[in-house]
Amino acid sequence: MNDYQVLVVDDEKEIRDAIEIYLKNEGITVIKAKDGIEAIDKLNEHEIHLIILDVMMPRLDGISTTFKIREQKNIPIIILSAKSEDTDKILGLQVGADDYVTKPFNPLELIARVKSQLRRYVKLGTYDGMEQVIDIRGLTLEPSAKRVTVNGEEVKLTPIEYKICELLMTHAGRVFSIHDIYERVWNEPCYHAENTVAVHIRKIREKIEIDPKNPRYLKVVWGIGYKIEK
């Protein structure tokens, strides 16, 4: 794993330094930041392949940092949270984190989770120029071919339907409001677009779900928006 660079973000120097020791023993290069603002700066300065991110930090906390990172990048994020912060863990996963480790953590568990996420990123991601093929329990998106398949069978989507799937699948687990979906997919301000987005969501469900009324993939989060379930 000598080619990987991991960004470790924690406001406690002792934790940053300890994680650095564990990762360096695995041949992983470590970049460190003490809060979310510094993390985003480091992310723009270095090629980062995974982020370990504490939840409770000054200036910009881990949840807000995850949200900002997910606006631009799809690299793996593992959040660190105390045992008492279950709501933070859930919220972190909802806004786009890939995994979490509870403090105080077992170094062997942390290393195992880092390696697992890096393998997944290399296999399905864009590292070393490879195509970012995304597979979620049989629902697969191939960006270069602009194609979506379900268990190997191609699904015929319109360009708008494909863009919605691409948005939700590249941020699997994250909830997008109707407003967000419309502005990101149509690239124009959202004015009374509820019906427009809902119709496209319904059509996508009819194409990718065995039972559209009880969807396995494309879920509604009532009062908030839609997501592709991880």
Side-chain angles (χ1 to χ4, degrees), residues 138-180:
L139 177 65
T140 305
L141 183 139
E142 303 172 38
S144 66
K146 301 296 182 187
R147 185 170 75 150
V148 171
T149 61
V150 179
N151 296 323
E153 296 292 325
E154 184 170 358
V155 178
K156 299 296 183 182
L157 299 175
T158 67
I160 289 293
E161 290 167 359
Y162 173 83
K163 287 181 180 179
I164 293 173
C165 281
E166 184 178 47
L167 173 66
L168 298 180
M169 289 181 69
T170 54
H171 301 86
R174 174 176 166 183
V175 181
F176 285 85
S177 68
I178 287 175
H179 182 277
D180 285 337

Side-chain angles (χ1 to χ4, degrees), residues 52-116:
I52 299 173
L53 184 63
D54 186 33
V55 171
M56 301 298 290
M57 295 184 296
R59 296 211 296 173
L60 192 65
D61 63 44
I63 302 300
S64 300
T65 303
T66 298
F67 188 83
K68 286 184 174 294
I69 291 170
R70 281 292 177 253
E71 290 178 346
Q72 299 180 351
K73 296 181 182 292
N74 198 36
I75 60 178
I77 298 175
I78 298 175
I79 58 174
L80 301 177
S81 65
K83 287 184 178 179
S84 61
E85 297 168 356
D86 284 342
T87 55
D88 286 335
K89 288 185 290 191
I90 294 169
L91 185 55
L93 293 172
Q94 286 180 337
V95 299
D98 298 278
D99 202 354
Y100 67 86
V101 173
T102 301
K103 291 180 177 180
F105 54 83
N106 182 323
L108 295 178
E109 178 190 2
L110 178 63
I111 294 302
R113 290 179 182 271
V114 166
K115 288 183 174 180
S116 175

Side-chain angles (χ1 to χ4, degrees), residues 3 20 26 29 40 45 50 57 76 82 84 86 134 150 160 164 170 220:
D3 294 333
E20 181 180 26
E26 300 297 324
T29 300
I40 291 172
E45 295 169 1
L50 181 142
M57 295 184 296
S84 61
D86 284 342
I134 299 170
V150 179
I160 289 293
I164 293 173
T170 54
V220 62

